[in-house]
Amino acid sequence: MGNAQLHSIHVHPVKAFRGQSPREAEVEPWGLAGDRRWVLIDDGGKVVTQREQPRMALAAAEILSGGSLRLSAEGREPVSVPVPEPIGTTTVQIFGDKVEAVLADPAAHAWCSGYLGADVRLVHMDDPATRRPVDPEFALPGETVNFADGYPLLVTALGSLDALNSLIAQGDHADEGPLPMNRFRPNVVVSGTDAWAEDDWSRIAIGEVTFRVTKMSGRCVVTTTDQDTAARGKEPLRTLARHRRFAGRLIFGQNLVPESRGTLRVGDPVTVLG
């Protein structure tokens, strides 16, 4: 781990949309600043992701000043979305959790619905410090999370991706590889580690910020979605099922909970603390 460092940072302002790759990012208790504070819901309040709508991968979300958004997609005029006033909230259903969030303005709903060809609404998490607790089985009292699948940050490693791509090349869908890291939609990507070294981490530091490593990341059909075309294949789930199955889940990456605030910068050293 002497050469391990932060290779890249990824912030996804709208869950399931294409994100940004800044050179640095602030770590807040519930995740990277600006990450997954917005999400689409259907007419019943259930979160909509690439699981149901793979074309979400082709829509981009950019954070503007004050936390507002610019949404864009090929063939559509971009739209700016201000942060809504927290006058009233609506209930969002996300993986068994019920979370209060604030509806964006009607122009945002219209843009997103028109793009996907489905009735959806865009909502904003106004107060991530109180809205959604982390799974208490893996959390300390008071720890919260944004609209991520379950934990504030996801870390993946280039060494593990290289190993996975080698396994894919030996399988029956070799033509689908090698896969890029964006299939796994991480927040932070680490270089300079051995393949699968992250399996054994329990606590790490990235630069000035420390994290608790809480739980292996179980992977779903989103990983089979090409983030540049929205086409779906079989990999990496076919290979993960053969080589990376733990307790019935297909594993790639680790979930993190911050122990401190601070700034992450590309090139920061990564240190295993436990």
Side-chain angles (χ1 to χ4, degrees):
M1 288 292 293
N3 297 319
Q5 64 179 13
L6 180 57
H7 174 77
S8 59
I9 300 169
H10 305 276
V11 177
H12 303 90
V14 177
K15 183 179 180 68
F17 276 30
R18 181 172 295 171
Q20 300 172 273
S21 298
R23 297 289 298 177
E24 62 180 57
E26 295 297 314
V27 178
E28 299 172 332
W30 41 83
L32 297 181
D35 186 60
R36 295 173 170 93
R37 290 283 298 275
W38 303 76
V39 73
L40 293 184
I41 59 174
D42 63 19
D43 55 7
K46 184 179 178 181
V47 162
V48 178
T49 74
Q50 289 184 33
R51 294 167 177 83
E52 303 83 25
Q53 290 278 2
R55 287 188 69 244
M56 293 176 74
L58 308 183
E62 177 187 359
I63 302 173
L64 304 177
S65 61
S68 60
L69 291 180
R70 180 180 185 269
L71 306 181
S72 61
E74 185 175 355
R76 298 187 66 82
E77 286 294 320
V79 63
S80 294
V81 184
V83 175
E85 293 293 331
I87 298 171
T89 62
T90 189
T91 301
V92 174
Q93 299 178 48
I94 176 168
F95 306 120
D97 296 336
K98 291 187 176 181
V99 182
E100 294 302 305
V102 184
L103 286 167
D105 65 29
H109 307 328
W111 191 94
C112 295
S113 296
Y115 173 69
L116 293 178
D119 184 15
V120 294
R121 294 173 292 168
L122 182 66
V123 300
H124 179 252
M125 184 180 286
D126 60 320
D127 186 8
T130 64
R131 292 298 187 195
R132 186 184 178 209
V134 178
D135 183 344
E137 184 178 352
F138 299 96
L140 300 177
E143 289 181 335
T144 60
V145 61
N146 51 31
F147 282 127
D149 280 6
Y151 299 88
L153 284 90
L154 171 67
V155 60
T156 57
L158 290 181
S160 298
L161 180 65
D162 289 344
L164 177 62
N165 277 325
S166 293
L167 293 170
I168 290 172
Q170 300 166 30
D172 52 4
H173 292 277
D175 59 309
E176 293 188 25
L179 302 182
M181 190 64 87
N182 65 7
R183 288 293 188 94
F184 302 96
R185 298 180 64 81
N187 293 113
V188 289
V189 179
V190 174
S191 63
T193 67
D194 292 337
W196 318 121
E198 64 273 20
D199 289 354
D200 298 321
W201 298 347
S202 61
R203 191 166 172 263
I204 64 171
I206 303 177
E208 64 188 36
V209 187
T210 60
F211 300 88
R212 195 172 74 255
V213 183
T214 59
K215 186 175 182 289
M216 290 180 169
S217 180
R219 310 316 307 217
C220 71
V221 70
V222 170
T223 60
T224 69
T225 306
D226 187 316
Q227 298 294 298
D228 295 320
T229 67
R232 280 199 170 139
K234 299 293 185 182
E235 296 292 2
L237 293 186
R238 182 66 63 90
T239 297
L240 290 176
R242 291 174 175 169
H243 300 280
R244 295 285 298 168
R245 187 187 294 272
F246 297 91
R249 307 202 70 180
L250 312 185
I251 299 300
F252 190 88
Q254 290 276 0
N255 292 296
L256 305 178
V257 174
E259 294 183 331
S260 60
R261 290 177 179 259
T263 303
L264 300 184
R265 298 174 177 88
V266 171
D268 277 348
V270 177
T271 306
V272 176
L273 303 176

